[in-house]
Amino acid sequence: MRLFRPGWTLRLIARPGFQAFAARVPGLRGIARREGQELFDLVSGFVRAQVLMALVQLDIPARLLDGPRAPGDLAPAAGLGDDRMALLLQAGAGIGLLKRRRDGRFALARKGAALLGVPGLSAMIRHHDVFYRDLADPVALLRGETDTELAHFWPYVFGARGAVPDRVTQLYSDLMADSQGLVAQDTLAQVRLGSVRRLLDVGGGSGAFVAAVCAAHPALRATVFDLPAVMPSARARLRDAGLENRVDLHAGSFRDDPLPRGADAISLVRVLYDHSDETVSALLAAVFDALPPGGRLLISEPMGGGARPDPSGDVYFAFYTLAMRTGRARSAERIAQLCRDAGFEGLRCPRPARPYVTSVVEAFKPGAKFRESSVK
Ligand SMILES: C[S@@+](CC[C@H](N)C(=O)[O-])C[C@H]1O[C@@H](n2cnc3c(N)ncnc32)[C@H](O)[C@@H]1O
């Protein structure tokens, strides 16, 4: 007979009496306090996120960039009374974005300054009002009973073609392009594209990834393939970057149209997680078809659902894609399997530097060129 049934420690910890006991015992006390604080951080997570939202909506970090300010200085422009501004600034200091000075003024903390320095982060926070409304009843969301706003916010989710207002297309293109700098940086650090002659970026949005690749590889040419509605913003961005002679634009839907041929590498950056397994399998088959023997497939996006759950892929992106209703955050192993099913080999899943930014999977179409490059 076993002395202790499996899980006895968890049942012990779950007893209110044990919690009171642990708070008194040296050794256990430190652990209980730390875990208690972590638990409370989870309980108050939504309030923290809303404090962050208020700070960003009222431009407080930007307004503190020139130096510390008193609540009374900042209150009128925000339409708040001095006491409410003091409450908000105090909360901002509580979550580590601001610092309270002895004289009662508030200054930007390092994290608050970094928030301004990450392109697209403020815009991302601002658009979370939509996401939070979708999360208002998380069980209903999980049961599929919510008509989510995010599904309508991202117009291509249901395969829309051209019927989306320009303002909406521009908004999502900007959100994606702003955050693309970090994604491109982490992606390019994980792969060597020196031998690539032409890159086809499928779902390439307004061309921000291709622009970063062209800057890193001056001899490379590229094509951006995306929905017709996205083409005007891609054209404008690539023209501003002086890349109109190196990058072609190809309008189409990968659900309905063949992918252009002629590229020896194809990238899918933050594309797969928007779509169902069925759409992803069909897309990977089309990519396989469009590549020459030895051609390279590069997938880069936040991933989740793997053996080591993490708060970015398995909480944020998992629920974000759930609210979008068509896709899901997949693990590198799952993506690699879908690639193998499509015929790819030579799979690489390098360890991501910042999983909350992106993770990479690289694969090759079987063929002479792949064998040559893999021997190097
Ligand atoms: C999340 S955004 C990523 C954009 C860009 N790759 C990036 O990382 O910034 C997904 C992109 O896929 C494009 N897309 C979605 N469905 C598509 C389809 N059926 N055919 C072509 N592009 C599509 C969208 O228009 C959008 O630009």
Side-chain angles (χ1 to χ4, degrees):
M1 196 187 85
R2 281 217 220 125
L3 198 52
F4 295 112
R5 277 192 300 133
W8 68 271
T9 38
L10 297 182
R11 280 190 293 277
L12 184 65
I13 292 169
R15 283 191 196 154
F18 179 79
Q19 288 302 317
F21 164 76
R24 288 193 307 271
V25 177
L28 283 184
R29 189 162 47 209
I31 300 173
R33 276 192 194 153
R34 197 189 62 242
E35 292 189 349
Q37 181 65 55
E38 287 168 4
L39 199 54
F40 189 74
D41 289 350
L42 284 179
V43 173
S44 65
F46 181 72
V47 186
R48 290 164 178 244
Q50 292 297 66
V51 166
L52 172 67
M53 173 76 87
L55 289 168
V56 168
Q57 277 183 356
L58 297 173
D59 275 333
I60 302 296
R63 298 183 67 205
L64 291 176
L65 205 50
D66 290 332
R69 307 277 291 271
D73 288 348
L74 297 168
L80 300 184
D82 292 4
D83 55 338
R84 296 291 163 85
M85 180 53 81
L87 185 127
L88 175 61
L89 297 177
Q90 184 80 10
I95 59 174
L97 295 176
L98 310 181
K99 278 187 194 156
R100 187 185 160 126
R101 309 275 291 241
R102 286 216 181 107
D103 60 9
R105 292 183 305 157
F106 286 84
L108 213 49
R110 271 210 313 271
K111 248 187 272 175
L115 194 152
L116 291 171
V118 178
L121 190 52
S122 298
M124 177 184 176
I125 292 165
R126 282 172 193 269
H127 102 291
H128 278 159
D129 56 345
V130 183
F131 188 20
Y132 294 162
R133 283 195 290 275
D134 287 344
L135 281 174
D137 184 344
V139 176
L141 178 67
L142 286 161
R143 287 186 179 140
E145 295 165 356
T146 310
D147 179 19
T148 58
E149 285 185 51
L150 266 185
H152 301 282
F153 183 89
W154 297 100
Y156 53 78
V157 155
F158 301 116
R161 298 191 66 180
V164 179
D166 286 351
R167 185 186 50 78
V168 177
T169 308
Q170 191 60 48
L171 180 65
Y172 85 76
S173 290
D174 287 350
L175 258 180
M176 281 292 116
D178 285 347
S179 51
Q180 181 53 249
L182 294 182
V183 175
Q185 195 182 326
D186 282 18
T187 305
L188 294 177
Q190 303 272 16
V191 291
R192 280 186 286 165
L193 298 182
S195 60
V196 173
R197 282 173 294 107
R198 178 172 284 274
L199 173 74
L200 169 64
D201 191 25
V202 174
S206 58
F209 179 67
V210 150
V213 178
C214 285
H217 299 282
L220 181 143
R221 303 181 74 80
T223 304
V224 172
F225 179 91
D226 208 301
L227 296 168
V230 180
M231 288 296 122
S233 64
R235 196 165 293 114
R237 177 176 299 274
L238 293 168
R239 192 187 49 229
D240 291 351
L243 287 169
E244 62 265 72
N245 295 326
R246 278 177 70 193
V247 180
D248 300 328
L249 297 179
H250 195 115
S253 167
F254 53 67
R255 291 171 191 267
D256 311 305
D257 304 311
L259 296 177
R261 312 259 148 174
D264 50 342
I266 295 183
S267 49
L268 295 165
V269 182
R270 299 191 291 184
V271 170
L272 300 187
Y273 68 176
D274 284 341
H275 300 282
S276 66
D277 279 1
E278 198 188 2
T279 305
V280 167
S281 295
L283 174 57
L284 292 176
V287 167
F288 186 86
D289 230 35
L291 281 170
R296 178 195 310 248
L297 165 62
L298 173 60
I299 294 166
S300 175
E301 62 184 32
M303 297 179 190
R308 287 192 196 154
D310 83 85
S312 47
D314 292 292
V315 181
Y316 182 84
F317 290 105
F319 276 76
Y320 196 103
T321 49
L322 183 68
M324 284 180 71
R325 290 184 25 211
T326 51
R328 54 193 290 212
R330 298 177 180 83
S331 65
E333 299 77 41
R334 174 75 187 133
I335 292 175
Q337 188 54 51
L338 289 165
C339 291
R340 272 188 218 100
D341 293 347
F344 287 97
E345 61 180 33
L347 270 298
R348 273 186 68 237
C349 308
R351 200 184 180 86
R354 295 181 285 187
Y356 56 92
V357 173
T358 200
S359 298
V360 167
V361 171
E362 196 179 25
F364 294 84
K365 180 164 172 169
K369 198 170 164 212
F370 162 56
R371 272 181 230 115
E372 275 166 31
S373 68
S374 62
V375 200
K376 273 185 197 157

